[in-house]
């Protein structure tokens, strides 16, 4: 399938995906945004369209038959006609290695599936603008090569030439456009007094001052500049010294209005926040599903202490009806009622804590406490699957920084899967839950079962959405777990241990750790069995 779906030639965007539904989603997202859209459903057609139309942006799926997205990108960058296209990879894969490989081949960005409309729109807009500006600049440079004045007059960034005192000696038309004043009105003015409201209060700390006085090059972003009419705007500038045989004669200042760029960045950040919000909503929905599956067991859990309370209350009434009640025995019976009420309260407390939508996000948590709480929560599944859980966590384990509700959700999901796998294999060995420190900044938590094991294609599919090995499963549990752990700055995976069964693990950063301590590169021992 190769089709031109819009005739707006302002900016061309090529959509490449072998899944028609994905192409439809991308097309519907971008069709009214003023782009000329091209569509290809496989690598060779994508290369042909790209060579003929030189699109500014290419949204490129990684996982395609015959020729995957990595090879397509490599060939695009090897072709002079398409080398400058901004390639934005699309994939359900969201691991660090996939991204690194894409960027190493020349990719400009990476969007994870399922697509978020606002994220796609913001990223395409940003990359299209950058590529468009780069191409315009290249075209102008080729056309005006050898004529310095015409080059300066044609670039889109404002340019000032200042003397050593900051007086404007030269201004190009772009500077006049940004400042909304004719070039003639800018020439001769003092740069600092004209464009900075704080000039009289703090002249020494002003931008470009160090370049004019000491010959120090500067580069700053998001400073506030003022126009002649008093209005202001956020700007980015670069200043370099003007030197003549080593003698300082002022500075050349290149600047631009970044109002639109900041708005794009704000839109992208808003899209990221929306993705996080949707991730939290999915996690909460997953917890509700888990509770639905476990409802009958918890009803039995709560009913036991309530039944005991009822029986003890009846006994107490009978004892109180006697002429000479045994007060000691009565007090003992009332203590039992209190103990059973505490037991019911604790069960309900665990349920409510697991069900709630977290509002505080990450916090410092104790791994032994969290895993013990999770083990108690899984007691219903232990009885249903006629299995057991062995918990082995050293007391010296450092605290971690994470969202406790979401981490418990992941741990409970892995434990429940392990119990079900053990029952399916008619095995009686308890599920082993353990934790250890990796290096100095990462904690690894693992769940080992002795069940039926994993299929041969698990490496490629197990954490993808809607893939499941259960007859009645929906295939969202492990995909959700992966999303939740990556949001904590950790990693998740599995191993095939010697003998039967499987071992799933996830990592979390130690509280106070910086950088990405739980990435596979940071912990080369993370793949040990």
């Amino acid at each position: 399938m190769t089709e031109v779906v819009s005739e707006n030639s302002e900016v061309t965007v090529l959509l490449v995906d072998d899944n028609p539904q994905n192409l439809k989603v991308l097309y519907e997202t971008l069709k009214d945004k003023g782009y000329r859209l091209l569509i290809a459903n496989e690598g060779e057609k994508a290369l042909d369209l790209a060579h003929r139309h030189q699109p500014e942006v290419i949204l490129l799926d990684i996982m395609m038959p015959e020729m995957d997205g990595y090879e397509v990108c490599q060939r695009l960058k090897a072709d002079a006609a398409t080398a400058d296209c901004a390639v934005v990879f699309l994939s359900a894969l969201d691991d660090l290695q996939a991204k690194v490989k894409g960027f190493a081949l020349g990719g400009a960005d990476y969007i994870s599936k399922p697509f978020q409309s606002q994220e796609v729109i913001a990223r395409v807009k940003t990359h299209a603008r950058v590529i468009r500006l780069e191409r315009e600049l290249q075209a102008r440079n080729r056309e005006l090569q050898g004529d310095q004045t015409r080059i300066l007059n044609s670039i889109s960034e404002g340019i000032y030439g200042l003397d050593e005192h900051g007086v404007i000696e030269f201004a190009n038309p772009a500077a006049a456009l940004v400042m909304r004043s004719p070039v003639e009105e800018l020439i001769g003015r003092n740069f600092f007094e004209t464009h900075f409201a704080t000039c009289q209060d703090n002249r020494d700390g002003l931008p470009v001052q160090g370049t004019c006085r000491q010959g120090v090059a500067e580069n700053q972003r998001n400073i506030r500049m003022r126009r002649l009419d008093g209005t202001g705007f956020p700007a980015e500038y670069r200043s370099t010294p003007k030197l003549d045989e080593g003698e300082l004669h002022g500075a050349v200042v290149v600047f631009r209005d970044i109002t639109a760029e900041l708005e794009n960045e704000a839109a992208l950040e808003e899209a990221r926040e929306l993705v996080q919000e949707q991730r939290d909503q999915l996690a909460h929905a997953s917890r509700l599903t888990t509770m639905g599956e476990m409802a009958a067991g918890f009803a039995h859990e709560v009913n036991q202490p309530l039944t005991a309370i009822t029986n003890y209350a009846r006994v107490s009434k009978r004892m109180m009806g006697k002429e000479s009640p045994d007060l000691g025995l009565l007090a003992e019976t009332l203590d039992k009622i209190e103990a059973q009420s505490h037991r019911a309260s604790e069960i309900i407390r665990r349920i409510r804590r697991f069900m709630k939508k977290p509002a505080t996000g990450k916090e410092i948590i104790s791994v032994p406490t969290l895993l013990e709480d999770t083990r108690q929560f899984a007691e219903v599944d232990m009885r249903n699957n006629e299995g057991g859980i062995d918990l082995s966590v050293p007391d010296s384990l450092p605290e971690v920084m994470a969202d406790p509700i979401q981490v418990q959700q992941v741990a409970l999901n892995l434990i429940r899967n392990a119990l079900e796998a053990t029952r399916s294999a008619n095995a009686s060995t308890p599920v082993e839950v353990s934790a250890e420190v990796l290096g100095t900044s990462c904690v690894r938590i693992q769940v080992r079962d002795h069940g039926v094991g994993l299929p041969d294609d698990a490496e490629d599919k197990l954490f993808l959405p809607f893939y499941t090995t259960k007859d009645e499963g929906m295939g969202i549990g492990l995909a959700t777990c992966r999303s939740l752990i990556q949001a904590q700055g950790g990693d998740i995976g599995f191993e095939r241990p010697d003998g039967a069964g499987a071992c799933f693990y996830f990592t979390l950063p130690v509280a106070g750790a910086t950088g990405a301590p739980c990435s596979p590169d940071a912990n080369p021992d993370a793949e040990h069995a």
Side-chain angles (χ1 to χ4, degrees), residues 117-128:
S117 297
Q118 289 185 337
E119 182 183 14
V120 172
I121 292 169
R123 290 180 186 261
V124 169
K125 182 178 180 181
T126 298
H127 289 299

Side-chain angles (χ1 to χ4, degrees), residues 33 78 153 187 253 325 329 375 403 451 489 492 524:
K33 305 305 176 184
N153 289 346
I187 301 297
V253 183
L329 182 59
R375 186 196 66 78
D403 184 317
I492 188 168

Side-chain angles (χ1 to χ4, degrees), residues 148-226:
Q148 183 179 8
T149 301
R150 292 179 63 193
I151 292 176
L152 293 175
N153 289 346
S154 68
I155 64 174
S156 59
E157 296 176 313
I159 298 178
Y160 280 148
L162 311 181
D163 68 10
E164 59 271 26
H165 303 294
V167 175
I168 301 172
E169 297 179 321
F170 168 82
N172 72 336
L177 183 63
V178 174
M179 294 303 172
R180 300 174 185 171
S181 301
V183 170
E184 296 76 20
E185 291 189 20
L186 296 172
I187 301 297
R189 288 179 175 270
N190 184 276
F191 172 77
F192 307 107
E193 295 175 358
T194 301
H195 296 310
F196 298 101
T198 60
C199 178
Q200 301 303 323
D201 301 328
N202 185 26
R203 191 180 185 93
D204 292 338
L206 292 175
V208 192
Q209 191 71 255
T211 307
C212 288
R213 290 186 175 182
Q214 288 91 34
V216 179
E218 297 180 11
N219 185 355
Q220 291 192 53
R221 189 173 187 271
N222 202 8
I223 63 165
R224 195 76 182 173
M225 293 185 69
R226 184 176 60 179

Side-chain angles (χ1 to χ4, degrees), residues 15 48 84 131 200 273 303 309-310 387 417 434 493 500 505:
L15 313 176
D48 178 65
D84 66 340
I131 297 300
Q200 301 303 323
E273 292 175 357
N303 191 54
I309 289 171
T310 300
N417 287 349
S434 59
Y505 67 87

Side-chain angles (χ1 to χ4, degrees), residues 6 111 130 163 174 182 184 255 356 394 421 443 458:
S6 176
I111 299 177
V130 171
D163 68 10
E184 296 76 20
F255 64 95
K356 74 176 182 178
V443 170

Side-chain angles (χ1 to χ4, degrees), residues 368-388:
T369 301
L370 184 139
L371 290 180
E372 172 57 28
D373 200 29
T374 306
R375 186 196 66 78
Q376 294 179 20
F377 208 75
E379 286 180 353
V380 172
D381 283 284
M382 280 193 286
R383 284 192 293 273
N384 291 342
N385 290 283
E386 299 179 350

